[in-house]
Amino acid sequence: MAQQGATLYAQGSAERGVQACANCHGPGGQGLNPIYPSIAGQPASYVEAQLLLWRDGTRQNDVYSVMGTLVRRMTDENIRAASAYAAGLAP
């Protein structure tokens, strides 16, 4: 799972149409600007919960629905793996 999380974070998944997390949140998870917040060191359970809220449409505070669109293409395993990887990034 660690390898899957690292791959999703750094490269995304072309087969699922998911861009890399690093494209917006930065290679170290620090966020690239205020629109794309830092996720480094957030608890995996928190990141996973937020991704699930975007996927089911409960969370909608993304102006262009980038997160909602991407996370609907992710499997539960993808979400767990990416969340675990982000949690391991140093804040």
Side-chain angles (χ1 to χ4, degrees), residues 9-79:
Y9 194 89
Q11 300 172 9
S13 172
E15 66 193 38
R16 298 198 65 85
V18 176
Q19 74 175 2
C21 306
N23 288 355
C24 299
H25 295 286
Q30 302 299 320
L32 296 180
N33 62 47
I35 294 172
Y36 307 114
S38 173
I39 57 172
Q42 291 284 356
S45 60
Y46 172 79
V47 176
E48 182 177 348
Q50 298 314 301
L51 293 174
L52 292 172
L53 290 172
W54 266 305
R55 185 168 75 180
D56 75 13
T58 301
R59 186 165 180 180
Q60 298 181 5
N61 62 324
D62 180 359
V63 177
Y64 299 108
S65 192
V66 173
M67 288 301 302
T69 299
L70 291 175
V71 78
R72 281 189 288 281
R73 298 175 182 161
M74 295 172 75
T75 66
D76 289 343
E77 184 178 322
N78 293 157
I79 290 170

